[in-house]
Amino acid sequence: MTSVAESLVTWLLTYSGISTVETDQVGEEATSMGVIKAPGRDVQNYVDGSKDVTAYFLFRARRSAQMDDMRVNNQEWLEAFETWVREQSFARSAPTLTGGRVCQSVSVSESAYLLESTEADIIYQIGLEIVYYEPKTLTQPID
């Protein structure tokens, strides 16, 4: 079964401004991006054993920041990316999940901000929230 994080990465790669996204890390190159699972999640359990899950992820992007025009371009890119996420939600375009899970929405839960800075580059972070339905999991008894 594909993880929710992996499905989210696949979905993010449909954005024209992204070519690669790593899981649980951000590379050293100035164009590196990654998705990290944030701690905690909200679960609404139902009587039939199914549940609605809200999971949180951190999208991090390392961008060049040596000159002011680069930092301005970074802000434009971040705003465009957040707008794309919101538009996908309105269009009902969401990650494809496995195991009978169905993604209901992806949204920006935390707008872009500067997480870490060096002389050469900046790591920006955006909070993403994914809400999905998970059916009851049937387990087989072990003999």
Side-chain angles (χ1 to χ4, degrees):
M1 182 161 66
T2 305
S3 71
V4 174
E6 188 177 353
S7 297
L8 180 60
V9 166
T10 300
W11 180 76
L12 290 171
L13 289 171
T14 65
Y15 179 59
S16 62
I18 296 176
S19 59
T20 60
V21 177
E22 297 184 45
T23 304
D24 290 337
Q25 70 177 2
V26 178
E28 296 299 320
E29 301 82 38
T31 57
S32 298
M33 297 176 199
V35 168
I36 295 111
K37 175 81 173 87
R41 65 184 196 154
D42 299 319
V43 179
Q44 174 68 48
N45 292 303
Y46 297 106
V47 176
D48 68 356
S50 65
K51 54 191 158 191
D52 282 332
V53 178
T54 302
Y56 302 96
F57 293 87
L58 304 171
F59 175 78
R60 292 185 179 160
R62 183 182 303 271
R63 310 283 291 183
S64 292
Q66 295 154 345
M67 298 177 5
D68 188 56
D69 63 332
M70 291 175 165
R71 293 186 294 276
V72 169
N73 287 338
N74 292 342
Q75 291 298 321
E76 291 172 354
W77 185 90
L78 292 163
E79 286 177 16
F81 174 73
E82 286 185 22
T83 299
W84 177 82
V85 171
R86 290 184 185 97
E87 288 173 349
Q88 296 308 298
S89 183
F90 289 130
R92 303 262 189 233
S93 171
T96 302
L97 305 178
T98 60
R101 298 172 295 183
V102 177
C103 184
Q104 298 166 345
S105 67
V106 177
S107 60
V108 174
S109 60
E110 188 174 70
S111 289
Y113 65 93
L114 187 150
L115 179 67
E116 188 178 307
S117 177
T118 68
E119 289 181 22
D121 55 29
I122 293 175
I123 296 178
Y124 295 97
Q125 179 167 288
I126 298 173
L128 297 176
E129 175 182 289
I130 182 167
V131 179
Y132 62 93
Y133 168 81
E134 186 173 297
K136 178 181 178 179
T137 304
L138 300 175
T139 56
Q140 300 295 325
I142 299 175
D143 293 333

